[in-house]
Amino acid sequence: MAMIQGERRDTFLSIRRALRGRCPNCGQGRLFATYLRQVDRCAVCGEAWGELRADDAPPWLTILIVGHLVAPLALALVRYGSMPDWAITALLVTVSLALCLLVLPRAKGLFLAAIWASRARSS
């Protein structure tokens, strides 16, 4: 059952649940039907998720996080590494891609939970 309208929503608990891919309301149902597509409604509590939109925020956060992790690695490999340039490039592309795929759904969950907890709605 959906949460009562006036009830307080714990933002940090919702975000922790969403980072695990779970419904920010109950923590039991799945938040995503596929890799990035959120479910229309939670199968457990019935909370509506289809109307929430995170738009460009998850890719922005993903780029911010991955960039801050990969840039120092790139600088260290170029300065101190003894690998050929093609190997450094291949490694950095692989690490960047893997991190993007790992971070993006969690970033979307984070923003969906924050939007839901603040009761903000898309227009």
Side-chain angles (χ1 to χ4, degrees):
M1 185 166 301
M3 186 176 278
I4 300 170
Q5 185 65 18
E7 195 172 333
R8 185 180 178 282
R9 295 176 176 174
D10 185 344
T11 304
F12 294 109
L13 177 61
S14 325
I15 289 172
R16 280 197 312 266
R17 289 173 173 170
L19 288 174
R20 292 190 338 255
R22 296 292 168 197
C23 171
N25 184 31
C26 67
Q28 300 299 313
R30 293 179 51 187
L31 182 57
F32 297 108
T34 59
Y35 176 66
L36 285 178
R37 190 176 143 278
Q38 71 245 30
V39 295
D40 289 330
R41 293 198 164 276
C42 176
V44 176
C45 69
E47 187 69 38
W49 296 109
E51 63 191 45
L52 292 180
R53 293 179 35 165
D55 293 332
D56 293 335
W60 169 82
L61 183 61
T62 300
I63 290 168
L64 185 73
I65 291 170
V66 172
H68 278 84
L69 294 174
V70 173
L73 176 63
L75 292 171
L77 285 173
V78 169
R79 175 143 177 126
Y80 303 111
S82 59
M83 299 167 52
D85 290 345
W86 67 265
I88 292 173
T89 302
L91 177 65
L92 291 175
V93 167
T94 303
V95 168
S96 298
L97 182 60
L99 284 172
C100 285
L101 292 172
L102 183 71
V103 172
L104 187 58
R106 286 157 184 80
K108 184 168 183 177
L110 181 146
F111 281 105
L112 289 175
I115 291 166
W116 174 81
S118 68
R119 298 182 194 279
R121 294 288 180 209
S122 302
S123 53

